[in-house]
Amino acid sequence: MWPFSTPYPVVKPPDIGSQTGFPSDSCGEHGHAAVYDYIVVGGEFIVHIPSIDLHPSVRILLLERGGAVDTWASRVPLLSAAYMTPGSPIYRHPVTPMNNLDGRVVNMIRGKALGGGSRINGMVYTRTFAADYNRWSESGRKGWSYDEIEPFFIKSEGFLGPRTDGHGFDGPWKTRLFDRYFLKPTARCVDALKSMGIPVAEDINTPATPAIACGNLHATIDRSGHRCSTFDAFLPQTVALDRRDRLKICTGTAATSLRFEGNRIVGVSFFEELESGPEPGRNYYAHARREVIVCCGAIGSPQLLMLSGIGPKAHLQERGIRVVKDLPGVGSNLEEHVGVSTMYRVPLQDSFHYIRDRPLGAIQEFLKYLFKGEGLFLCPITQIWVFLWSTLFEDDLTLLGKSKDPSQVDSTSPENIPDIEIMPIAFNTTDSEVPIGTGIFSFLAVLLQPRSRGSVRLESNDPLYPPTCDLGFFTDPADRVLMRKAIRISQRIAEQMQAEGYPMEDQNVPDSDSDADLDAFINKSYRTTFHYSSTCRMAPEDDTCPGVVDDRLRVHGVRNLRIADCSILPNILSNHLQAPAVMVAEKCTHMVLEDTPRT
Ligand SMILES: Cc1cc2nc3c(=O)[nH]c(=O)nc-3n(C[C@H](O)[C@H](O)[C@H](O)COP(=O)(O)OP(=O)(O)OC[C@H]3O[C@@H](n4cnc5c(N)ncnc54)[C@H](O)[C@@H]3O)c2cc1C
């Protein structure tokens, strides 16, 4: 029961590492270093730990920059998703200004806690379309077709709905569908989509879903109405306490570099990240007998590799870092789903602004959540999905006849991957101010298969300093053409809702339908959707877009080092990334166990 009487069992660097860092050769084999079998860097990988830690003699060290943040508020769906509230466990740093977008700067947001992004995200659970993985498999990634990875989705999932094919029911990661829409415009939006001929599909998370459809989203919320993050699912207090002798969870700790002997990784250096910064001179080292597994995310993983001398040679030399392995793919090929929001004014009680602007209403909703487990505090920020394939629309945005032919919209075929998502969200999804007392319904139009690429490069050799992130949005002109279409479709849905009698007025929309006005709108409204990926992509080292890890997630040319997070995705998936991140973690665990010599 909450609150726990025993605190979550975390340790600090002095408890688990040897001070001063990497032992010199004269120390003999690792001197007095603390020794573990595996060192895991980055707390999203916690999904692996209960499974890797099969044998009682296996010792694991987990290093995470954020904290355990094991509080009641961190489980309330709406409160924990309000990532901009002070004290929320996030990294927030500006991206490189983009000249092609009038130099406007947006912020990157990432989770900083055990469980990474799953602690603060929108709780949307989507595996993505089978075609995405089948495309990887077609391009040579062995073991990564949808049929091959589906068991790893099933293993982790504890679906709370009816027993249907393709879902997991016994896993610790709870997912559910709500049988009603919490807010009126969400329901009216589904009606409008139906009127436009967009089919409603029962279950986005099965291969039977067509490449163009809408429907109700699965959310990672458990039966008691709590957020079910990867932390809650895979390393709850009971598991952490049970394993504390052989699993050391070291929070508030930044890994600063991976340490080598020749081309073999032998351990990790790290320090405690105090609010005031690192304590001078307090560096620690721990030795990894078997492997180091990096899962610091698409921004953190390339940063740690480059700080350790693995990355593009010229860049490392420029930063004065000794090159251990020249790997041009590290930090290259940053992919992200760029988004642009159109927004409409709606009645206040029809949007989340009601909670912000009406304190009494907020208290009422809160009590409803507390005592009945209902209401807006339980509601996921996005409750419905709308995935579209642009080629199925005529220029006037009516649907082509073939969109009704199941063989033409079979989303297991790499030919048929949706390229647009429209996210209906009952809140302000832009940087602009919305007057108090105004309700908002937004349509966040997102490119699912962007062609533009960015990069992550070191801004400083200080591991606590955010790297330079160039998102490269719209550097490929095809993305701008597609985004215009996505905005036009968003506006079309809004018009349909209005035509069907729902009261919505323009709040943030393009001045006209001309390409020039749409482009101006894109430049002033573009944003990230927090789906950073592919900066250590799984592909051959000499691929035209160079890879960093092989099909077993081992870093090319370096022994005893794997990566398991969204950075390894060969290209961005056409969907939200937390479920794929967990699938990657489960598959990595499986491969680590397969590759572990039996003793
Ligand atoms: C605001 C927001 C909303 C989102 N909404 C959704 C959604 O609704 N559905 C969905 O599917 N996806 C969503 N996402 C995306 C999803 O959460 C991420 O794609 C996913 O969590 C990425 O997982 P990851 O393992 O790659 O990295 P992360 O989750 O970023 O985890 C990396 C971890 O490594 C730690 N770390 C980094 N560097 C170091 C270091 N040097 N030493 C020690 N630790 C380190 C970090 O602190 C972090 O905890 C959202 C993301 C955000 C930010």
Side-chain angles (χ1 to χ4, degrees):
M1 267 318 275
W2 199 264
F4 295 116
S5 45
T6 317
Y8 192 88
V10 293
V11 294
K12 292 294 165 197
D15 306 324
I16 44 96
S18 66
Q19 200 177 333
T20 156
F22 195 52
S24 68
D25 288 342
S26 60
C27 283
E29 203 198 334
H30 306 294
H32 304 293
V35 178
Y36 297 85
D37 293 288
Y38 298 97
I39 300 179
V40 173
V41 189
E44 178 86 327
F45 188 85
I46 56 179
V47 61
H48 297 227
I49 288 170
S51 349
I52 283 192
D53 196 5
L54 280 179
H55 196 278
S57 67
V58 171
R59 283 167 52 83
I60 297 177
L61 172 62
L62 168 63
L63 304 171
E64 163 58 45
R65 278 185 68 176
V69 199
D70 199 19
T71 62
W72 181 79
S74 73
R75 290 170 196 215
V76 178
L78 189 63
L79 293 180
S80 55
Y83 57 86
M84 292 306 280
T85 45
S88 192
I90 57 165
Y91 304 89
R92 181 169 188 249
H93 51 98
V95 304
T96 309
M98 286 171 264
N99 292 335
N100 59 331
L101 291 166
D102 303 340
R104 199 173 135 251
V105 172
V106 294
N107 282 303
M108 288 196 121
I109 309 283
R110 298 179 279 141
K112 184 182 182 185
L114 283 178
S118 75
R119 302 301 299 278
I120 46 115
N121 68 18
M123 297 164 289
V124 168
Y125 176 92
T126 52
R127 295 178 181 179
T128 193
F129 301 91
D132 264 323
Y133 302 104
N134 292 340
R135 181 168 61 173
W136 294 357
S137 164
E138 275 189 4
S139 65
R141 305 288 61 77
K142 285 201 182 61
W144 292 90
S145 69
Y146 186 76
D147 285 348
E148 288 164 301
I149 52 106
E150 192 187 48
F152 298 103
F153 282 118
I154 289 177
K155 182 167 176 261
S156 58
E157 190 186 14
F159 182 44
L160 299 172
R163 297 227 153 214
T164 42
D165 278 355
H167 280 282
F169 299 91
D170 304 322
W173 202 23
K174 303 303 173 202
T175 63
R176 66 192 277 185
L177 275 175
F178 292 99
D179 55 8
R180 67 196 164 80
Y181 295 119
F182 287 78
L183 288 160
K184 202 191 281 178
T186 313
R188 302 301 284 271
C189 183
V190 175
D191 292 341
L193 289 160
K194 279 195 243 172
S195 306
M196 289 167 66
I198 294 171
V200 179
E202 295 260 306
D203 186 342
I204 191 179
N205 289 310
T206 66
T209 303
I212 178 163
C214 64
N216 201 344
L217 274 168
H218 294 81
T220 48
I221 297 178
D222 69 17
R223 216 183 279 283
S224 340
H226 290 150
R227 169 186 287 267
C228 191
S229 66
T230 58
F231 167 74
D232 302 302
F234 303 104
L235 207 55
Q237 197 195 35
T238 43
V239 174
L241 279 171
D242 188 46
R243 287 157 194 266
R244 71 177 139 188
D245 291 342
R246 51 205 161 102
L247 166 63
K248 299 295 175 196
I249 303 170
C250 193
T251 54
T253 300
T256 55
S257 65
L258 308 169
R259 308 309 303 243
F260 289 85
E261 272 177 10
N263 69 350
R264 188 166 68 100
I265 295 286
V266 291
V268 182
S269 293
F270 50 96
F271 57 53
E272 189 171 355
E273 190 179 345
L274 303 170
E275 288 217 345
S276 51
E279 263 191 272
R282 294 270 184 154
N283 294 316
Y284 296 84
Y285 170 76
H287 175 69
R289 239 190 328 234
R290 292 185 182 163
E291 290 193 28
V292 171
I293 302 158
V294 170
C295 45
C296 298
I299 309 302
S301 289
Q303 181 182 20
L304 181 61
L305 262 62
M306 288 189 281
L307 287 169
S308 312
I310 309 170
K313 185 174 172 185
H315 176 59
L316 299 184
Q317 285 174 336
E318 201 181 290
R319 298 245 40 106
I321 294 171
R322 187 174 74 88
V323 180
V324 186
K325 169 70 186 163
D326 175 21
L327 260 189
V330 176
S332 309
N333 199 60
L334 171 61
E335 293 192 45
E336 160 66 331
H337 295 142
V338 59
V340 173
S341 273
T342 45
M343 299 202 308
Y344 299 84
R345 289 188 294 281
V346 297
L348 182 62
Q349 67 275 15
D350 287 359
S351 89
F352 287 110
H353 286 259
Y354 176 69
I355 289 196
R356 189 196 67 173
D357 298 350
R358 292 282 181 273
L360 276 179
I363 291 169
Q364 239 171 9
E365 285 294 322
F366 191 63
L367 294 175
K368 219 193 275 179
Y369 173 75
L370 216 50
F371 294 109
K372 293 189 177 167
E374 286 174 8
L376 289 184
F377 281 85
L378 175 68
C379 179
I381 300 284
T382 320
Q383 220 199 327
I384 53 172
W385 55 275
V386 186
F387 286 89
L388 308 172
W389 186 23
S390 60
T391 53
L392 295 177
F393 287 88
E394 303 265 21
D395 286 346
D396 67 0
L397 303 184
T398 53
L399 276 172
L400 291 168
K402 65 178 185 176
S403 67
K404 305 217 166 20
D405 173 355
S407 70
Q408 299 280 332
V409 292
D410 167 11
S411 73
T412 63
S413 160
E415 310 294 303
N416 304 340
I417 304 184
D419 52 6
I420 293 175
E421 178 182 5
I422 310 285
M423 294 168 67
I425 301 176
F427 199 67
N428 179 3
T429 46
T430 67
D431 299 339
S432 63
E433 292 288 318
V434 170
I436 298 289
T438 307
I440 290 290
F441 197 64
S442 305
F443 297 88
L444 175 55
V446 177
L447 300 192
L448 297 173
Q449 293 293 305
R451 295 192 188 185
S452 307
R453 301 283 184 267
S455 63
V456 176
R457 294 286 175 249
L458 295 176
E459 170 84 19
S460 154
N461 294 5
D462 176 351
L464 300 187
Y465 204 86
T468 304
C469 298
D470 176 3
L471 288 167
F473 285 164
F474 299 110
T475 43
D476 187 315
D479 287 346
R480 201 175 263 279
V481 174
L482 189 56
M483 183 55 91
R484 288 186 205 129
K485 192 163 191 171
I487 296 170
R488 286 181 174 124
I489 295 173
S490 303
Q491 292 186 280
R492 177 75 194 79
I493 302 170
E495 282 160 18
Q496 186 65 36
M497 287 172 71
Q498 286 163 330
E500 293 179 7
Y502 185 70
M504 300 205 308
E505 287 168 21
D506 293 354
Q507 170 72 17
N508 190 49
V509 294
D511 289 343
S512 80
D513 189 48
S514 71
D515 285 358
D517 279 342
L518 283 167
D519 285 346
F521 186 73
I522 290 170
N523 291 4
K524 78 167 185 163
S525 312
Y526 80 89
R527 50 164 287 174
T528 94
T529 56
F530 320 118
H531 292 168
Y532 320 115
S533 87
S534 310
T535 48
C536 295
R537 66 192 295 266
M538 174 170 54
E541 194 177 338
D542 59 357
D543 198 72
T544 38
C545 181
V548 174
V549 297
D550 67 14
D551 299 350
R552 297 187 73 75
L553 305 179
R554 297 171 298 209
V555 174
H556 294 303
V558 178
R559 286 167 57 208
N560 300 352
L561 178 61
R562 282 185 225 245
I563 306 179
D565 55 31
C566 288
S567 71
I568 67 92
L569 306 181
N571 55 271
I572 197 163
L573 296 162
S574 313
N575 227 306
H576 303 241
L577 299 187
Q578 68 163 342
V582 169
M583 176 277 291
V584 167
E586 290 284 9
K587 190 164 164 66
C588 181
T589 309
H590 181 76
M591 294 189 293
V592 166
L593 291 173
E594 277 183 339
D595 295 348
T596 302
R598 303 270 167 237
T599 48

